[in-house]
């Protein structure tokens, strides 16, 4: 999923999961979306910590990252809170280009609703995501140390977290 434009390749896992887990495609896509959202929120939390620690050097980083994190947490909250999710989906069908697909998609909504994770079920994926980010960013630290560059481990982890969030911003914004 990392070499395809927009990470679309990551969603092709849904086709594999559909056959392997014998679950409907919409549930597989939905769950991948939730896992990706948890992954981004974990990265955002790490970058907020980094922005806070480096706020004396880069004071303009903290508040935009905090706002971005709050928006993503609200986005995840929409998926977890069933009533809000139903309300937003109904609005999407009434006023958007999805209107012609209302009947087809609305038959999938009860199935998706059953697959919504409970709030307590988000903790383990969040911890695994955090560990994954730490391991991934540790490679940068090892790379820097291999050239005898003296850097603080925590600083490298947090700077790379911030850099990853900045890299997610579409080019047209900056």
């Amino acid at each position: 999923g990392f070499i395809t434009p927009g990470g679309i390749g990551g969603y092709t896992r849904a086709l594999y999961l559909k056959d392997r887990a014998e679950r409907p495609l919409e549930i597989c896509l939905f769950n991948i979306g939730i896992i990706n959202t948890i992954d981004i929120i974990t990265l955002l939390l790490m970058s907020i910590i980094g922005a806070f620690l480096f706020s004396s050097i880069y004071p303009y980083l903290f508040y935009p990252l905090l706002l971005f994190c709050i928006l993503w947490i609200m986005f995840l909250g929409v998926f977890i809170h069933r009533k809000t999710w139903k309300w937003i989906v109904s609005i999407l069908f009434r006023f958007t280009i999805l209107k012609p697909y209302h009947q087809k998609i609305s038959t999938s909504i009860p199935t998706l609703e059953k697959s919504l994770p409970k709030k307590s079920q988000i903790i383990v994926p969040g911890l695994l995501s955090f560990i994954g980010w730490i391991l991934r960013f540790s490679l940068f630290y090892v790379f820097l140390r291999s050239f005898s560059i003296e850097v603080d481990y925590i600083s490298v982890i947090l700077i790379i977290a911030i850099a990853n969030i900045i890299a997610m911003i579409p080019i047209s914004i900056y």
Side-chain angles (χ1 to χ4, degrees), residues 107-126:
T107 59
S108 300
I109 289 176
T111 309
L112 293 175
E113 225 179 333
K114 290 178 189 171
S115 71
L116 283 172
K118 295 179 178 101
K119 292 173 187 166
S120 60
Q121 292 174 317
I122 293 176
I123 294 170
V124 172

Side-chain angles (χ1 to χ4, degrees), residues 47-66:
S47 68
I48 287 172
I49 293 168
F52 180 74
L53 291 176
F54 298 117
S55 63
S56 63
I57 302 168
Y58 305 106
Y60 50 84
L61 281 177
F62 180 72
Y63 293 109
L65 288 172
L66 182 63

Side-chain angles (χ1 to χ4, degrees), residues 153-169:
Y153 176 74
I154 300 296
S155 295
V156 169
I157 299 295
L158 297 176
I159 288 170
I160 300 298
I162 293 169
N164 272 270
I165 292 297
I166 292 171
M168 287 182 189
I169 299 171

Side-chain angles (χ1 to χ4, degrees), residues 19-154:
D19 296 333
R20 186 80 174 174
E22 298 176 359
R23 305 284 287 181
L25 181 62
E26 55 270 14
I27 287 179
C28 297
L29 284 168
F30 188 70
N31 287 333
I32 289 171
I34 288 175
I35 289 170
N36 289 346
T37 302
I38 292 169
D39 211 27
I40 290 172
I41 290 171
T42 306
L43 180 62
L44 276 165
L45 291 173
M46 292 173 65
S47 68
I48 287 172
I49 293 168
F52 180 74
L53 291 176
F54 298 117
S55 63
S56 63
I57 302 168
Y58 305 106
Y60 50 84
L61 281 177
F62 180 72
Y63 293 109
L65 288 172
L66 182 63
L67 177 66
F68 198 48
C69 185
I70 290 169
L71 291 173
W72 271 104
I73 289 171
M74 287 172 48
F75 181 70
L76 180 63
V78 164
F79 283 107
I80 294 171
H81 193 260
R82 296 180 198 305
K83 289 179 183 176
T84 307
W85 185 72
K86 280 183 172 181
W87 180 73
I88 288 176
V89 168
S90 70
I91 288 175
L92 285 174
F93 288 129
R94 267 188 259 155
F95 302 109
T96 66
I97 59 172
L98 295 175
K99 195 173 186 176
Y101 305 103
H102 175 65
Q103 183 60 36
K104 186 174 183 177
I105 296 175
S106 64
T107 59
S108 300
I109 289 176
T111 309
L112 293 175
E113 225 179 333
K114 290 178 189 171
S115 71
L116 283 172
K118 295 179 178 101
K119 292 173 187 166
S120 60
Q121 292 174 317
I122 293 176
I123 294 170
V124 172
L127 289 173
L128 290 175
S129 176
F130 179 75
I131 291 168
W133 286 119
I134 294 292
L135 291 174
R136 193 173 307 152
F137 298 157
S138 294
L139 293 175
F140 287 99
Y141 177 77
V142 170
F143 178 76
L144 292 169
R145 292 296 300 140
S146 69
F147 287 103
S148 300
I149 299 173
E150 294 291 329
V151 292
D152 179 50
Y153 176 74
I154 300 296

